[in-house]
Each structure stands twice: as structure tokens, then as C-alpha cells.
Amino acid sequence: MASLLDDLAEILPADQLRTGDAALAYDRDLSDGTGHGAPLAVALPTSTEQVAALVKAAGRHGAPIVPQGARTGLAGGANAVDGCLVLSLERMTRIVEVDVADQVATVEAGVLTFDLATAAEKVGLFYPPDPGSWQTSTIGGNVATNAGGMRCVKYGVTRDFVRGLTVVLASGDVVRTGRRTVKGVAGLDLTSLIVGSEGTLGIVTEVTVALRPRPAEPVGVLAAFSTRKAALAAADLMVASERRPSILEFLDRDSVAAISAFDPSAVLPADAEAVLLVQSDEPGRTTGDANEYAAISTFCGATTVEIGRDRAGVDALMQARRSLHGAMRAVSGASLNEDVSVPRSRLAELLDGIDEIAERMRMPIATAGHIGDGNLHPIVAFDPADATSVGLANETYQLVIGLAVSLGGTSSGEHGIGTLKRAHLEAELGPELRALQRAVKHAFDPEGLLNPGKKL
Amino acid sequence: MASLLDDLAEILPADQLRTGDAALAYDRDLSDGTGHGAPLAVALPTSTEQVAALVKAAGRHGAPIVPQGARTGLAGGANAVDGCLVLSLERMTRIVEVDVADQVATVEAGVLTFDLATAAEKVGLFYPPDPGSWQTSTIGGNVATNAGGMRCVKYGVTRDFVRGLTVVLASGDVVRTGRRTVKGVAGLDLTSLIVGSEGTLGIVTEVTVALRPRPAEPVGVLAAFSTRKAALAAADLMVASERRPSILEFLDRDSVAAISAFDPSAVLPADAEAVLLVQSDEPGRTTGDANEYAAISTFCGATTVEIGRDRAGVDALMQARRSLHGAMRAVSGASLNEDVSVPRSRLAELLDGIDEIAERMRMPIATAGHIGDGNLHPIVAFDPADATSVGLANETYQLVIGLAVSLGGTSSGEHGIGTLKRAHLEAELGPELRALQRAVKHAFDPEGLLNPGKKL
């Protein structure tokens, strides 16, 4: 029988195949501290038909298949396992259509999320989910992890915008799930099930997303506080208000300090205990909303309140927030990015607990994130060349997850489970739910070849 | 071995059990023209533990289990099959909690949707999905069918608000899926999968839903048009606008005439070719939005435009729309209620095609519904005592579904598949997707005892 490599060479031209050392560039995502193996080969298909042929070939040889987008993930979900076939969708970058009348777009999985959003914007429409990585991550990767972002506090996460998927099943069969219509209940909702499944149920090659009319040009507010409690109180009032901020972000003292050290031009007040970044994009109401958010902040004791009314001002505020990951990696060379989510009423306990863990472990933790929906990203900085530091970072990371779960929260709000958090699923789900999830996985992938060792 | 009836009597006190003729009151839902069997027994459990014990007992005896809410469904999804155990959740009516800080509510499956909405409203919160039946249907039934409603054009359908479920599996095991947090990606999204599964994957006994801050008191607009084309053009402009109507309903000539005949006090202009009912509930913008919708209507050629600014005026508008089902049943004694959904760009073709079918079949069809999201309810009136009329109604019904599917639409936007539309799933889904759905069903219910013959 021909080898898998022989079969792959039959399916793809040489420039769409990487083997040996050239394949190692695709061995992992952006997460620090996750394990990964060495792929046998990396395939760079350009069509759903090629993906189907590749899946069938891998299936014949019993080779594990690891799908990849742009490998910007932070949980190891796209990491190779030894001897696997990596299926990178990075060359499937066609924007198939943007339909103004039906307010939908269909794109191939390798399209950058930012490019999708830009294509929508060009015709007066809007794709809201904006993960931190959106300029470099693909819509296929966003679908795999059910990615969130800053605007999700108002608009919802990736799943809320996915109408339909083209999926290559483990058998190599190609199915189209979902619909183009706004509503539809024909059959079980496999679309929602596949979103967030991190490549364990099938390979998504094409995505149809819902779009909305473009909102107003946002007006942003930066409010700095001398206590965290005051910032939390202001955020609570904003969430309770009938006005719905399109962005409601939090930065703690360590986040502000790290960003200010990393980028002295950042607009953040370097000595703040806590900062809120708030936006309104509600047509006809942006200025009124921003004034209201400023007033709430002042009422709660803000020491500085700035309103950014033009695009440059708003972009500068948000750019500061987006630079945190790089800033924390710069502290000691590497970082572990948490992604915990708790019921909003438990946020104060979460932040107090993180302080306590940081002090006890003597590890720097900067916490920022989507305070509006209770999804925070504590970032643990560590030195990857120092085994003690690596060990402490991992221990710290686990403690923070345990804390979040003990507060009724979850180990992952939007980054995914990957390899990094599988251990926590046991406790979070319990034995019956785990068995049910495995049964569903088995229904899709009886041989267990799709992204083994991830998510489940 | 004891009989199933003996086992049931061990689990439940006599007043929670119906057998023989007393069980027949639970043999079907509100749909006309769907088949149903005779239940062996009807159980009226009051706790998840009782449901689990009942499911285990039925499983031991290999008896099919048919879960029921308020039996207001329109697709036969809750209809009994011969010899089944009906599990009615109607006595599980506890509102477990409404949490203001976390903006969630947890209620038992038998709580009326209107009661859930009212409980939220009392503490300044809002549960948006409002199916036509919401004063009589239960949240459990809404979850089973992924029910929609008039406000879904702005807010989304039931699935978009379900955070977590307590589910009794076919094994009798009890699991809690989902979360209380706003975001979470731990494990596969079984919650979204179970919503809309019409009782075929498990028995939902408790539901945790997301709530929002209450919007503004709505302002409504009624616009009457002398051509359908003009009404469709106005609706298209409203959907394309950055303002998002909280309700955008359409009534065709036959709907307006039927409602006006049924209820002479209805506020509709009886001679209109088409009517739009539009609402805004956007804080700080209701009057401006209503004026804009009125202006769009006038621009598109509306012959009458009325703005209802107080609650009574708005309620009167919406009450007229809600009375259509009863009005059409009154025409000849019974009706078949379609629930087709098409991409919005195909709405004109759908309506033209329905006209053509009505004329060819000589059957009255009144079409109304959620024009904002392309989900319409053509209603076929027929005489249930006349076999010819029944036959023609069924044929007409099937023709309309075929038309919608041929336009890229679906046989069911929000009512469910039940028994009424199973035949259409074949064509709509194709063999690979059907096989995958059956495999998922098998993972949940290997013996096939949960609501057999429905949905799949």
C-alpha cells in the first residue's frame, strides 16, 4: 500500500505540501507552555474538495488530523500531535459573497476576521465579533473556538453570528449545516454544536455569517479610578443601565503599568489603580451615552475621565487595551493568558483572590478584560528559560482557574480548551456530561482522528 | 415483573397520574391535521427527581416517552404515540430565582413564558422572546421548539437567551448543561444542541435564561398600503436602517380581512392590501424611530400611517396581529399554520407564489408574520368535517413548504418540525446530514424512546 505521504502527493501539488523540517513551522499556536508534537506533514489545501480528499487519505492510514487557522490561539487547540496531518486552511481566503439584501456573508475559513469585517463595512454592513487577534486570526479559527472580543458585551460572540457552515466530516463527506435565513429549526442545530468544537467534530471550510447594518461611529470614554472597587461599581451601573455599551473593558493597576512601560505613548494614566474603557456606537445616542458613562464614572469616584469623540481618539484608547498581551510577554519573555469567566456578581471576589494568589506565588499577574460580561484575562508573566519560573507560572495559572470555577465560573470564556485546560473540564462538567460529550464526539468521529487530545 | 403502570404508581401519588380516558386529554397539541396515538398514561411530575424516576421506569419497560409543555404547539411535536408515557411538565411551575446582579433567571420548565417575562419585568429586567402563544405556552415548550416571536427581529430567538439547562437523559441521569456566566466555551455546546430538539434528546426540567435591562416603553406605527410591493419596499428600508425595529410585522389583505371580520373592533384598515406594524423600544429614541418608520412608509406610498404613543395604543395594534390564528380558524373551523422562512430577498417571490397556489388550489391562505426576519405564517383555512377540504388543505400546505424550500428557505422558522414536517426534512437536509443527525440522536437516546417519530 502507498504511504500517506504518497497519497498526499497525489492530492496536492508540491507547493501545497510541507514535510520534514518545513512542517515544523506549523507545530503549535501562540500559547506559551502547552505541549505539542511533530507533524508528519502539513497540507495547504485551497478548496473544500481538497480538504475532503485529504481527510479521506488520512482516514485510510489512521493518521490524526489537526486543523489550523492562523495559529493565533492561546490554549494549544491547534498544536500538532506526533505523526499527524496538519490541515492548514490559511490558503482558503476567498470572500465568496457579501449579500446586502439578506445581510449575510459567506467566506472561506482562512479569511482573516478583519478582512471579513472590512468587506462588510465597504457595503454599509457590520460583522461585530472582534477577538483581540482579529487582524491576524481567521474566521475558521474564530468558529473553532467560538471567539469573543471587546464588542461581544453588546453584540454576542461568534456563535451568535454563524448561520451555516460547510464542514468536511471525518468520513470525508462534505455537509452544509444551517441556513441563509434569519430563523430556522429544521433538524438539530449542528451548526451551533460545531462552533466552538475546536476541530474535534469536523473541518470547517466555509462559513456563512449574519451581518448587521453599520452602527454609529463610536464615542469612547476612559475613566481612571484610585480604587478597584470604585471601577467595579461604575461598571455595574453601566451594565444595569438600559443603555448598552458596545465596549466595556477593565484594566487593573498591573495592566496599566505594563502597558505604560511597554509603550510610553499609551494614553493610560500610569498611576491608576483601575481603568475602564467604555464605548457607545448606538445611532443617535453616542454622545449622550458617553456623557452618561462619564457621569457614572465621576459619581463613583473616578480621578480622570476623558471622552474620545473622533476616530483617532477612540482608536488610541482601544490600541492601549489591545497591546496588553505583548506588554506582559515583554516583562519576562513569556506569558500564560488566562480566560476565566465568572457571574458578574463574583467579579470582586475573583479579583481579590487573584491578588492573593499573585502575592502567595510571588508571580506577576496583570488582569484585564471584558468586565461587562464577566470574562477576564489574568496574564501570568514568566521566564521561559527558567524552569522554576515555568513551574510557578503553571501552578499560578491552575490556581486562578480553580478560583474562577469555585466562584461558579468557567476555565474558558472565549479562548477555548485546547490542551491547556482539559484537566479542568473533568471538574467543571462532571462524569455524566463528559460521557455525553464523548458520545457526541464518537457520533461525528468514530475513529477519533480529528484533533485528538483537544477540547474533550 | 411489575407492569409500567404499577411502577408509575410507586413513583407518583394518584393525583399526579392519569390513565385510560383521563389520559386522552393529553393526546395532542393545538395543530390541526396531525396524527396522534393514545397514551398509556400521563405523568404530572413536580420535580426533576420524579422525572428521572419516570424516565427510568419507562426505559425498563421499553415504553416511548413523550414530553409535553402546554400543548400549544402547531406541528404535532407533543402528540402522543400509542402506548407512550406522556411526561407533562405543567406542574413544574416554580420560579427558582431572578438574579438582578447577574441578569439571569432560573425557572422550572412548566413556567409560562409570560410569567417569566413578568417576573423579570418586576425587577427592571426583560426577557425578550415572545412567541404568539406566550400567555399560554411554557418556557420548556419554547426551549423544545426554539420558539421565536415578534420581538425576535431585534433580540433573537429562545436559543439566544438560554444559558443552561437541567436535563433528564434517556438513561434517567440528570445533567446540568451550560453555565450562569455570560460567556463560556468549556466542552461542546450541548445546551444549544438541546434547544430546538423537540424532546428527542432529553427532558428539560429547568431552564436558566439571560435577561437584559428593560428597554423603553415602545412606540408603535401602523402603516397601510394599497400594494404589497410598497409594503415590502418599506420593510426593506427599515431592515437596512441602522435603527433596529423591535417589531416589524406584516399582514396581507386576507389577514387584515379575516381579523376585521373576526373582531370588528380591531384597529386595522379593513380594505388595505398590506399592513406593516413596526415598533421601537430603543431608549431615548422611540419617538424619533417611530417618526422615521412613518416617514419611510409614507415615502413608499402608505395610504394610512398611525403612530401609537401610549401603551394602550401599542397594545391594540399588537392585539390585532395576535388574533390572526383564531380569526383564520373561525373561517371554516380549522387551519393549518405554516411557518416558512426565506432569505429576505426572496420574500416577494414567496408571496407571489403563495397567491398562485391559493388560486390554483382554491383554498383561502392568509399570510402574515415576521417580515423583518423573513419568517412568515401563511395560514390555510379548511373545514375539518369535509374530507375534500382536509385533503386540499394538506396539499396546499405542502406546496407552500416546497415553494419556500425552493427559494432557499426552510419549512420551519420557529414552530418546529414535529410530525407535520418530517417529510420535508429529507429534501431540506440531504442524506449525509440526516445520517449525522441520527447518529447524534443515537448518542443521546440509544433505545430511541424519547419522543419517537418527531423532529428527525
Side-chain angles (χ1 to χ4, degrees), chain A residues 122-333:
Chain A
K122 274 187 185 151
V123 293
L125 294 171
F126 179 50
Y127 178 70
D130 61 340
S133 59
W134 71 326
Q135 293 185 312
T136 51
S137 66
T138 64
I139 185 68
N142 291 184
V143 166
T145 55
N146 187 25
M150 294 205 281
R151 296 195 295 228
C152 296
V153 66
K154 177 171 180 180
Y155 294 104
V157 294
T158 301
R159 181 178 289 118
D160 298 311
F161 290 87
V162 176
R163 288 270 181 82
L165 299 170
T166 300
V167 185
V168 177
L169 301 176
S171 60
D173 286 340
V174 178
V175 293
R176 286 172 208 277
T177 72
R179 54 192 205 278
R180 275 180 72 92
T181 54
V182 179
K183 294 200 284 195
V185 293
L188 299 171
D189 186 1
L190 301 184
T191 307
S192 291
L193 180 67
I194 292 169
V195 176
S197 67
E198 300 187 31
T200 61
L201 302 184
I203 316 290
V204 172
T205 59
E206 209 172 276
V207 183
T208 297
V209 295
L211 304 172
R212 295 168 51 119
R214 276 182 71 181
E217 202 63 37
V219 173
V221 178
L222 179 154
F225 298 84
S226 57
T227 71
R228 199 163 63 200
K229 198 174 161 191
L232 285 180
D236 285 349
L237 281 173
M238 293 171 194
V239 168
S241 151
E242 59 188 5
R243 299 167 190 273
R244 290 168 62 85
S246 55
I247 287 181
L248 179 45
E249 294 288 307
F250 166 84
L251 295 157
D252 76 351
R253 178 192 52 223
D254 295 307
S255 302
V256 172
I259 292 168
S260 302
F262 184 64
D263 175 11
S265 73
V267 294
L268 302 174
D271 58 344
E273 267 309 294
V275 163
L276 292 181
L277 295 171
V278 200
Q279 269 191 17
S280 169
D281 66 2
E282 190 60 43
R285 237 180 44 204
T286 49
T287 299
D289 285 353
N291 289 341
E292 176 75 12
Y293 299 140
I296 288 173
S297 301
T298 304
F299 171 80
C300 290
T303 51
T304 313
V305 176
E306 286 173 37
I307 299 185
R309 295 191 195 278
D310 60 358
R311 186 148 194 170
V314 173
D315 284 353
L317 291 180
M318 295 308 147
Q319 197 45 50
R321 161 70 182 89
R322 286 188 189 272
S323 66
L324 177 61
H325 181 193
M328 284 303 286
R329 278 189 121 178
V331 170
S332 311

Side-chain angles (χ1 to χ4, degrees), chain A residues 99 101-103 124 145-149 152 154 157 159-160 169 173-190 192-198 200-201 211-216 239-244 282-285 339 341-346 370 372-375 408-417 425 428-429 432-433 436-441 443-444 455-456, chain B residues 99 101-103 124 145-149 152 154 157 159-160 169 173-190 192-198 200-201 211-216 239-244 282-285 339 341-346 370 372-375 408-417 425 428-429 432-433 436-441 443-444 455-456:
Chain A
D99 187 311
D102 291 334
Q103 300 182 342
T145 55
N146 187 25
C152 296
K154 177 171 180 180
V157 294
R159 181 178 289 118
D160 298 311
L169 301 176
D173 286 340
V174 178
V175 293
R176 286 172 208 277
T177 72
R179 54 192 205 278
R180 275 180 72 92
T181 54
V182 179
K183 294 200 284 195
V185 293
L188 299 171
D189 186 1
L190 301 184
S192 291
L193 180 67
I194 292 169
V195 176
S197 67
E198 300 187 31
T200 61
L201 302 184
L211 304 172
R212 295 168 51 119
R214 276 182 71 181
V239 168
S241 151
E242 59 188 5
R243 299 167 190 273
R244 290 168 62 85
E282 190 60 43
R285 237 180 44 204
D339 172 39
S341 208
V342 294
R344 292 199 71 264
S345 59
R346 314 303 292 272
H370 319 306
D373 43 36
N375 178 207
T410 174
S411 59
S412 185
E414 58 185 11
H415 290 174
I417 297 298
L425 270 192
E428 214 176 314
L429 299 182
E432 290 87 1
L433 263 186
L436 192 55
Q437 303 230 351
R438 280 196 299 267
V440 171
K441 160 76 173 176
F444 277 82
K455 183 86 182 177
L456 296 164
Chain B
D99 188 312
D102 291 334
Q103 299 181 343
T145 56
N146 187 26
C152 296
K154 177 171 180 180
V157 294
R159 182 179 288 117
D160 298 311
L169 300 176
D173 286 339
V174 178
V175 294
R176 286 172 207 276
T177 71
R179 55 191 203 278
R180 274 180 73 93
T181 54
V182 180
K183 294 201 285 193
V185 293
L188 300 171
D189 186 1
L190 301 184
S192 290
L193 180 67
I194 292 169
V195 176
S197 66
E198 301 187 31
T200 61
L201 302 184
L211 304 172
R212 296 167 51 120
R214 275 183 72 181
V239 168
S241 151
E242 60 187 3
R243 299 166 191 273
R244 290 168 63 85
E282 191 60 43
R285 237 180 44 204
D339 171 40
S341 208
V342 296
R344 292 199 71 264
S345 59
R346 314 303 292 273
H370 319 306
D373 44 35
N375 178 206
T410 174
S411 59
S412 185
E414 58 184 12
H415 290 173
I417 297 299
L425 271 191
E428 213 177 315
L429 298 182
E432 291 87 1
L433 263 186
L436 192 56
Q437 302 229 353
R438 281 196 300 267
V440 171
K441 159 76 172 175
F444 277 81
K455 183 87 183 178
L456 295 164

Side-chain angles (χ1 to χ4, degrees), chain B residues 28 36 48 104 115 119 128 214 245 253 297 327 386 398 409 411 413 419:
Chain B
R28 54 177 297 193
H36 61 89
T48 298
V104 295
D115 290 343
R214 275 183 72 181
R253 179 192 51 222
S297 301
D386 173 355
Q398 306 300 340
S411 59
T419 57

